[in-house]
Amino acid sequence: MAAAIDITGQHFGRLTAMYRAGRAKNGNALWFCQCSCGRTCVVDSYVLRHGKTRSCGCLAAEQSRHNIFNNPEVVSRMGDPRNLKIHDHHTDVSSLKKSKRNTSGVVGVSYDKQSHSWVAHFYFKGHYVLNKHFDHFEDAVRARRAIEQQYLLHQE
């Protein structure tokens, strides 16, 4: 087994390796890291050293937020972008952008061939808050849009 590489104090993107925090199941060293945003996380040393992890997750959240405001389709559907408020950096805002695989034409709505029904889904803080089947496409779209309003728009 190779000698452990000491990366204490080294910076990897927004992360600074503070101290070793054990071993991963694959045998790699785990490091407790401090992110420049103030949060901490434990990261595999291999992914740190090879640039695969550069933050605690805040970088991806910022990029997702940037992508939302620069996607005219999302902005037009959500209304005035000044009203868009992401509650925290655990929101999976990438689910607001239509993927290349989307065949329904509506983000968060898909057809389930097994149940022969339309499914509306919305992911928030690591959990599905909406994952419901509907007989009609329009009902699924209404449910998805309602949950977007509830979770993403700033209510004054």
Side-chain angles (χ1 to χ4, degrees), residues 24-88:
K25 289 182 181 177
N26 64 6
N28 291 348
L30 293 174
W31 284 84
F32 181 86
C33 297
Q34 177 76 47
C35 186
S36 61
C37 76
R39 296 185 51 180
T40 59
C41 57
V42 176
V43 185
D44 182 305
S45 66
Y46 179 88
V47 298
L48 273 175
R49 292 182 292 112
H50 290 87
K52 297 180 186 306
T53 298
R54 300 178 296 154
S55 76
C56 66
C58 62
L59 185 60
E62 285 176 23
Q63 184 62 50
S64 292
R65 186 173 176 83
H66 172 78
N67 290 344
I68 286 172
F69 286 114
N70 290 304
N71 182 330
E73 182 181 335
V74 171
V75 171
S76 69
R77 221 184 56 213
M78 296 302 287
D80 186 343
R82 291 173 298 203
N83 292 333
L84 185 62
K85 180 182 179 208
I86 305 304
H87 290 263
D88 68 20

Side-chain angles (χ1 to χ4, degrees), residues 5-156:
I5 300 170
D6 186 6
I7 58 173
T8 304
Q10 291 184 30
H11 298 278
F12 302 91
R14 295 181 176 186
L15 296 174
T16 302
M18 305 302 285
Y19 57 85
R20 278 208 41 201
R23 287 208 174 273
K25 289 182 181 177
N26 64 6
N28 291 348
L30 293 174
W31 284 84
F32 181 86
C33 297
Q34 177 76 47
C35 186
S36 61
C37 76
R39 296 185 51 180
T40 59
C41 57
V42 176
V43 185
D44 182 305
S45 66
Y46 179 88
V47 298
L48 273 175
R49 292 182 292 112
H50 290 87
K52 297 180 186 306
T53 298
R54 300 178 296 154
S55 76
C56 66
C58 62
L59 185 60
E62 285 176 23
Q63 184 62 50
S64 292
R65 186 173 176 83
H66 172 78
N67 290 344
I68 286 172
F69 286 114
N70 290 304
N71 182 330
E73 182 181 335
V74 171
V75 171
S76 69
R77 221 184 56 213
M78 296 302 287
D80 186 343
R82 291 173 298 203
N83 292 333
L84 185 62
K85 180 182 179 208
I86 305 304
H87 290 263
D88 68 20
H89 62 277
H90 290 290
T91 305
D92 184 4
V93 293
S94 63
S95 66
L96 296 175
K97 186 176 178 185
K98 187 167 70 170
S99 101
K100 295 177 205 170
R101 300 175 312 202
N102 184 308
T103 57
S104 73
V106 178
V107 174
V109 175
S110 59
Y111 187 74
D112 181 14
K113 292 178 184 176
Q114 286 185 321
S115 66
H116 302 290
S117 62
W118 290 96
V119 183
H121 34 86
F122 188 80
Y123 197 71
F124 184 77
K125 290 188 177 182
H127 302 289
Y128 279 103
V129 293
L130 174 66
N131 192 14
K132 188 173 178 183
H133 291 254
F134 297 88
D135 290 331
H136 302 287
F137 173 74
E138 295 79 14
D139 295 334
V141 171
R142 267 193 295 279
R144 168 62 192 212
R145 298 253 162 88
I147 205 82
E148 286 175 359
Q149 295 290 320
Q150 180 183 347
Y151 279 86
L152 298 179
L153 289 182
H154 179 59
Q155 305 291 323
E156 301 223 5

